[in-house]
Structure formats: structure tokens, C-alpha cells
């Protein structure tokens, strides 16, 4: 028996109200040794881009490098166990407006109280499974600004906080 016209209209109306977002992931930043930096970062797939929302506290006022790293491992105490920047396509380190590592992100800017909030969009990574997925990778907040020139690190200094990015 065919669905009544009203039921079909209701079905399609429900579809149009569904969120256009896809899978998401979260990273709970924990301080490295002798640091007080902590926070939460979400990654949400939207088409072929990923929306990143970060809330971080305990920073010195100013700019701090912020990167996805290759290994989801924060066991070393200094964040070094997370390895280098996530770079599945072997690109040079750089800003979002030029060729860059998949893990190169805009820097965080902390206010006078040491808090940073940021929302930005990444291209070239996914939350969905695959070679460019951020899930299972490390997330690092650095002490210094990223100069977006020095290879391969951006000269961003010590690692102040580390997280493993996990599907949510």
C-alpha cells in the first residue's frame, strides 16, 4: 500500500531540518609537565571541510602555536610522544593560505586572563576514517607563536598541552 501524500511530505520536511554536519571528534587538552594549560577542542565534519572550535585556558597572554600531531600519544609528560606535525601529503610547514601540513592550524590568541577561544575551518583533513583523518592523532598547544616559516615546526617552542583526538 502506498504511503499517504501527507506522510511523504512530512518525511521530506523532516529531512530538510537535519543538521548538515557529519561526524565529530573531541580533544581534551591536559597540561604537560610544569604547565597549567588545559581545554577542549571539537572537530566537526561539514562537507569536505572540518570546523574546529577551541576553548583553552592557562596560557600566557599572546599567540601560541596550535597543531595536530602525527601520534595520538601524550604519555611522555612533555608532549614529545605525539611526534611531529600530522603531514600525510608531505607538504612544507606553512599557514592555511599556502601549502601546509594537514596538522598546521591557525594560532591561538590568549587574552590577558590566559584564555583563548577560536573557531575556524580546516581544509585537507577529515573526521571520517581515512588517511587524512584527525581522529587518533595528537593535538598540541605550544608556548610560542608559530612563525609559519621554520621547517618543519614553525619554531613554536615547548609543548604546553597535549590531547588525543577521539571520535565523539
Amino acid at each position: 500500500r502506498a504511503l499517504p501524500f501527507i506522510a511523504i511530505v512530512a518525511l521530506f520536511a523532516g529531512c530538510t531540518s537535519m543538521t548538515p554536519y557529519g561526524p565529530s571528534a573531541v580533544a581534551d587538552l591536559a597540561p604537560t609537565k610544569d604547565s597549567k594549560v588545559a581545554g577542549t577542542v571539537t572537530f566537526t565534519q561539514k562537507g569536505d571541510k572540518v570546523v574546529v572550535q577551541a576553548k583553552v585556558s592557562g596560557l600566557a597572554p599572546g599567540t601560541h602555536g596550535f597543531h595536530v600531531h602525527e601520534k595520538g600519544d601524550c604519555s611522555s609528560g612533555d608532549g614529545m610522544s605525539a611526534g611531529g606535525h600530522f603531514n600525510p601529503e608531505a607538504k612544507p610547514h606553512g599557514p592555511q593560505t599556502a601549502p601546509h601540513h594537514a596538522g598546521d592550524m591557525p594560532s591561538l590568541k590568549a587574552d590577558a586572563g590566559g584564555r583563548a577561544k577560536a573557531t575556524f575551518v580546516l581544509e585537507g583533513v577529515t573526521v571520517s576514517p581515512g588517511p587524512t583523518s584527525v581522529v587518533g592523532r595528537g593535538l598540541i598547544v605550544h608556548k610560542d607563536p608559530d612563525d609559519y616559516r621554520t621547517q618543519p615546526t614553525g619554531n613554536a617552542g615547548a609543548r604546553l598541552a597535549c590531547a588525543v583526538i577521539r571520535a565523539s
Side-chain angles (χ1 to χ4, degrees):
R1 172 175 155 187
L3 285 174
F5 179 74
I6 278 289
I8 292 171
V9 169
L11 178 66
F12 283 112
C15 290
T16 62
S17 67
M18 284 191 225
T19 177
Y21 293 93
S24 62
V26 66
D28 294 316
L29 288 162
T32 57
K33 188 175 189 274
D34 300 323
S35 173
K36 293 184 167 107
V37 176
T40 302
V41 181
T42 60
F43 298 81
T44 306
Q45 189 82 40
K46 185 173 183 181
D48 62 350
K49 296 174 175 49
V50 173
V51 177
V52 179
Q53 293 183 302
K55 291 183 184 177
V56 182
S57 62
L59 293 160
T63 306
H64 301 272
F66 189 41
H67 308 111
V68 175
H69 283 247
E70 60 191 343
K71 299 176 190 170
D73 181 356
C74 295
S75 65
S76 64
D78 62 1
M80 295 303 289
S81 54
H85 296 178
F86 179 46
N87 191 15
E89 296 179 347
K91 292 185 178 178
H93 177 68
Q96 293 292 304
T97 56
H100 61 277
H101 300 152
D104 292 341
M105 298 193 295
S107 293
L108 294 175
K109 291 180 178 65
D111 64 18
R115 293 174 301 274
K117 286 185 181 179
T119 300
F120 51 86
V121 176
L122 296 178
E123 295 184 31
V125 296
T126 65
V127 176
S128 303
T132 60
S133 178
V134 297
V135 174
R137 306 289 173 190
L139 183 65
I140 297 288
V141 176
H142 292 273
K143 179 178 181 265
D144 300 319
D146 187 328
D147 67 16
Y148 294 107
R149 291 183 308 274
T150 304
Q151 300 297 325
T153 65
N155 198 30
R159 299 172 183 200
L160 300 178
C162 184
V164 176
I165 303 168
R166 66 184 195 287
S168 58

